[in-house]
């Protein structure tokens, strides 16, 4: 693949704009550490949550060449309900831990996670939480 696009956003527009403002202020060194705002953001979260829903989603788009060197476009769609979205980032750690418990080994030292887990290995966890995924393949 030659081009990968990953986008994520918060459902409540006001929350999205507040985080964008914090990032802007941090980049310009107007605030020393964004983490200092965590207590305030945590307190206001419950008030803002009432304007959202329990739905979540994500799309990852890949553009590049297939193994036959043909132009290829892939999209992976993920949708989640019941406020289970925060479970997703934990899944890789859970799956890797299960591999270690089974006796699987990994090369020592720091490395990328490429190949450590494949998408189909997540399917039982996705099913457990009612998470739906779809891979859409098309030629550009």
């Amino acid at each position: 693949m030659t081009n990968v696009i990953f986008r994520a956003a918060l459902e409540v527009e006001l929350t999205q704009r507040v985080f964008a403002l914090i990032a802007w202020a941090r980049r310009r060194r107007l605030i020393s550490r964004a983490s200092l705002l965590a207590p305030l953001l945590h307190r206001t979260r419950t008030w803002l949550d009432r304007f959202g829903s329990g739905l979540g989603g994500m799309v990852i788009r890949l553009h590049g060449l297939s193994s036959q060197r043909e132009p290829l476009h892939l999209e992976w769609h993920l949708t989640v309900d019941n406020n289970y979205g925060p479970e997703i980032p934990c899944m890789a750690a859970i799956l890797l831990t299960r591999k270690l418990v089974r006796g699987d080994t990994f090369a020592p030292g720091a490395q990328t996670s490429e190949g450590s887990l494949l998408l189909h290995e997540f399917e039982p966890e996705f099913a457990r939480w009612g998470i739906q995924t779809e891979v859409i393949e098309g030629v550009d």
Side-chain angles (χ1 to χ4, degrees), residues 10 13-28 31:
L10 300 169
E13 185 178 350
L14 177 60
T15 307
Q16 184 75 29
R17 291 189 184 277
V18 166
F19 281 121
L21 179 64
I22 292 169
W24 176 86
R26 178 65 185 101
R27 278 192 308 272
R28 281 153 185 79
I31 55 175

Side-chain angles (χ1 to χ4, degrees), residues 31-107:
I31 55 175
S32 61
R33 290 187 2 236
S35 61
L36 297 173
L37 299 171
L40 173 65
L41 294 172
H42 183 70
R43 283 193 304 276
T44 59
R45 174 191 57 86
T46 53
W47 183 79
L48 291 172
D49 279 352
R50 71 184 81 192
F51 300 110
S53 71
L55 301 174
M58 178 175 70
V59 175
I60 297 177
R61 293 185 177 101
L62 305 166
H63 297 272
L65 298 176
S66 70
S67 57
Q68 292 80 30
R69 310 290 297 157
E70 297 290 327
L72 182 64
H73 170 84
L74 293 173
E75 289 187 0
W76 178 49
H77 295 231
L78 179 141
T79 55
V80 61
D81 201 353
N82 300 315
N83 286 317
Y84 290 152
E87 306 302 329
I88 295 169
C90 304
M91 289 181 184
I94 291 167
L95 294 172
L96 288 171
T97 301
R98 287 180 184 156
K99 283 186 169 198
L100 290 170
V101 168
R102 283 194 311 263
D104 292 6
T105 58
F106 301 97

Side-chain angles (χ1 to χ4, degrees), residues 76 78 91-92 95 98 117-135:
W76 178 49
L78 179 141
M91 289 181 184
L95 294 172
R98 287 180 184 156
L117 292 170
L118 301 175
L119 184 56
H120 72 85
E121 295 178 85
F122 286 81
E123 290 173 3
E125 283 300 309
F126 289 158
R128 178 178 171 208
W129 296 99
I131 297 169
Q132 299 173 1
T133 70
E134 176 183 25
V135 175

